[in-house]
């Protein structure tokens, strides 16, 4: 097969940068250079352009994240717009109940894409996630909650095309171990991300259905040091109540 000549090498480099930030936000230029193989000087120029058009943001610590522009495109998706509109008031009630980071996501191209994030009101440590960020299904709480709804055929196809690379110290990298975890998720009704997406992070997540079809997920995330079995019980009860309320509203 003749290799196609693509126009605009800088666009390909920009795509590599965006892919790297989608996998793991909060990266320095040096980290991005190591990840993409692009020199720091070229990275700096491309990042400035991406920031200007809203695809990338930079915080006060000079860490780069995906920008809000992705959310503008995402909200063109009618299903995402509807889910966000229906779920928002229920998520705000959940925030009042647990005061930890709340996430809402939709399923897109074998990933969960964050469409909402609510920050805790009385906590000094926050999660690094951003609206518009995409997470792999096997490594994240919301992703595993969605993945648990896959049929055996769809799960087999997903595993055949997906390399289970580690993102944190407890990321599941064995297909058999992932299958066992998904079986446990189906039995208890919620997924747990115990330092699988990010070190020092803990997440409890549930899938969201509309007329029997899984359309996304929601989660409560917090630093691992705040975990207790009592708090997990509280969060599970609150998130299951919220899930029921959202799905009932979707049916209306």
């Amino acid at each position: 097969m003749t290799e196609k000549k693509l126009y605009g090498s800088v666009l390909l480099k920009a795509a590599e940068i965006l892919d790297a930030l989608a996998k793991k936000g909060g990266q320095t230029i040096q980290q991005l250079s190591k990840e993409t193989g692009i020199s720091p000087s070229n990275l700096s120029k491309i990042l400035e352009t991406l920031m200007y058009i809203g695809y990338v943001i930079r915080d006060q610590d000079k860490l780069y994240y995906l920008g809000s522009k992705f959310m503008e495109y995402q909200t063109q998706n009618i299903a995402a717009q509807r889910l966000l509109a229906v779920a928002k008031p229920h998520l705000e009630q959940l925030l009042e109940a647990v005061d930890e980071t709340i996430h809402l996501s939709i399923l897109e191209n074998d990933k969960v894409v964050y469409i909402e994030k609510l920050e805790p009101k009385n906590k000094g440590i926050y999660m690094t996630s951003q609206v518009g960020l995409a997470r792999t299904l096997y490594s994240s709480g919301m992703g595993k909650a969605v993945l648990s709804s896959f049929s055996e055929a769809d799960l087999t196809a997903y595993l055949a095309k997906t390399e289970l690379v580690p993102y944190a110290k407890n990321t599941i990298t064995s297909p058999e171990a992932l299958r066992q975890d998904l079986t446990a998720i189906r039995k208890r009704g919620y997924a747990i991300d115990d330092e699988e997406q990010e070190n020092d992070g803990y997440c409890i997540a549930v899938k969201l259905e509309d007329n029997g079809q899984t359309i996304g997920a929601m989660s409560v995330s917090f630093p691992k040091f705040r975990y207790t079995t009592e708090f997990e019980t509280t969060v599970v009860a609150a998130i299951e109540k919220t899930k029921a309320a959202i799905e009932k509203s979707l049916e209306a």
Side-chain angles (χ1 to χ4, degrees), residues 71-103:
M71 186 57 193
E72 292 180 24
Y73 290 138
Q74 184 58 55
T75 54
Q76 299 306 310
N77 182 313
I78 295 175
Q81 284 183 309
R82 178 168 177 264
L83 176 59
L84 181 56
V86 168
K88 186 66 177 286
H90 300 294
L91 298 180
E92 290 173 343
Q93 291 179 9
L94 177 59
L95 179 63
E96 292 295 326
V98 301
D99 197 33
E100 295 290 355
T101 303
I102 310 298
H103 293 118

Side-chain angles (χ1 to χ4, degrees), residues 157-172:
Y158 172 79
L159 290 172
K161 64 185 178 183
T162 305
E163 181 183 2
L164 307 183
V165 299
Y167 290 102
K169 64 182 181 181
N170 292 334
T171 305
I172 297 174

Side-chain angles (χ1 to χ4, degrees), residues 35-83:
E35 177 78 14
T36 63
I38 303 170
S39 70
S41 60
N42 284 337
L43 264 173
S44 180
K45 296 174 184 176
I46 298 172
L47 284 167
E48 286 296 327
T49 302
L50 291 173
M51 288 170 59
Y52 179 77
I53 58 178
Y55 288 108
V56 170
I57 59 173
R58 182 178 62 200
D59 68 11
Q60 60 185 15
D61 296 318
K62 297 184 178 180
L63 299 177
Y64 293 88
Y65 300 87
L66 291 180
S68 60
K69 195 69 176 181
F70 288 98
M71 186 57 193
E72 292 180 24
Y73 290 138
Q74 184 58 55
T75 54
Q76 299 306 310
N77 182 313
I78 295 175
Q81 284 183 309
R82 178 168 177 264
L83 176 59

